[in-house]
Amino acid sequence: MAGHVKAAFSDYLTRFPDVQFDGVEGDPDKLCSDLRAGMIDVAIAPHGSEEQGIASRPVWSERLVAALYPAHPLLEESRIYWGDLRREIFVVPRQGIGEMIRNLITARVTGQGYRPNIITQETSLESVLSMVPVGRFITIATEASMGVAWPELQFRDIYDNGGTARIDFALYWREDNENPALQRFFTMINERYPA
C-alpha cells in the first residue's frame, strides 16, 4: 500500500501546492471513527467496510506475501499456499491493517481441528518485520513491504486457488463532505485509478 499511497499523495501535492496535507495512520476502525467525527477527509483502508453516511471507491489491489527468516524451509518451495503455512507461528501488529491480516490468516489457515497460532503485538508492521529474522515466527504483509530494504528477510507470494493472494484497498469519505481539496483529490484519483 505504501507505494501506491506515496505516489498518489506525491502527485496530489505536486499538482496542488496550495493544499495543506496532514497524514494520519491507524487501523480501519480508527480511521472510520475519524471520518465520522470530521477529523479527516479521506481514509485508505481494505475494501469491504460499509457504514451509513460513508462512501467508498476501490482504488488498487496488492499481493499478500509471507515474510520469512533466511533459513525458513518454505524458501525451498517454488510456491507457497495458505495450507503450507498451517504449522507456522504468526506475529501481526495491532496497528494499521494488522487485525485484518489476523482475520485473513484465521480464515485461510484454519482447518478441521486446527487453529493457527497468531500473536498480536502492540506495535507497527515495521517493528514486526524487524523481529522476523530472529527465526521464531513469520508474518504476512502486502507487497508494499518489499519496497523497503529488509536484507535479513525473504518475501514470498502466497497463492490461493485464484492465483496470488491479494487484498483490495478503497478510499472512504463522508458523503456530506464538500471540501474543495477533497474534490480535487478525487479528480486526480479518477485519473490514476479509473473506476
Side-chain angles (χ1 to χ4, degrees):
M1 180 171 77
H4 288 284
V5 172
K6 179 181 177 186
F9 285 110
S10 293
D11 188 23
Y12 179 68
L13 293 173
T14 300
R15 288 175 61 182
F16 304 107
D18 60 321
V19 173
Q20 172 65 37
F21 171 78
D22 297 312
V24 176
E25 287 189 65
D27 64 57
D29 290 337
K30 179 193 179 320
L31 294 175
C32 190
S33 174
D34 288 353
L35 278 174
R36 285 191 309 275
M39 295 173 61
I40 61 174
D41 288 313
V42 66
I44 301 170
H47 187 267
S49 298
E50 292 185 27
E51 188 168 326
Q52 186 76 16
I54 302 292
S56 69
R57 179 204 188 283
V59 281
W60 59 74
S61 177
E62 291 192 26
R63 295 182 338 267
L64 290 172
V65 295
L68 306 170
Y69 49 88
H72 197 287
L74 285 174
L75 292 173
E76 296 187 22
E77 301 295 326
S78 61
R79 285 190 172 188
I80 298 174
Y81 292 88
W82 286 109
D84 298 330
L85 301 172
R86 198 163 263 161
R87 301 283 178 230
E88 298 297 327
I89 298 172
F90 297 91
V91 173
V92 296
R94 187 168 310 280
Q95 296 179 8
I97 62 170
E99 192 63 30
M100 190 273 324
I101 294 291
R102 178 186 181 84
N103 294 339
L104 186 62
I105 293 167
T106 300
R108 297 290 192 266
V109 177
T110 298
Q112 189 172 17
Y114 176 79
R115 293 195 47 84
N117 186 351
I118 305 172
I119 301 166
T120 302
Q121 296 284 324
E122 294 290 338
T123 187
S124 66
L125 177 61
E126 290 77 16
S127 293
V128 167
L129 287 168
S130 70
M131 294 184 289
V132 169
V134 171
R136 294 179 60 189
F137 50 77
I138 69 169
T139 195
I140 305 298
T142 64
E143 66 184 276
S145 297
M146 296 167 39
V148 177
W150 296 99
E152 296 182 1
L153 285 179
Q154 297 289 318
F155 293 97
R156 294 293 188 266
D157 287 333
I158 302 169
Y159 288 83
D160 55 27
N161 295 338
T164 55
R166 303 188 75 81
I167 183 170
D168 297 324
F169 287 90
L171 294 178
Y172 295 89
W173 68 95
R174 282 181 27 179
E175 292 174 342
D176 63 353
N177 187 334
E178 296 180 9
N179 181 341
L182 181 62
Q183 301 311 313
R184 288 191 275 178
F185 180 70
F186 287 143
T187 299
M188 188 213 57
I189 287 294
N190 288 333
E191 291 168 6
R192 287 183 75 88
Y193 306 101

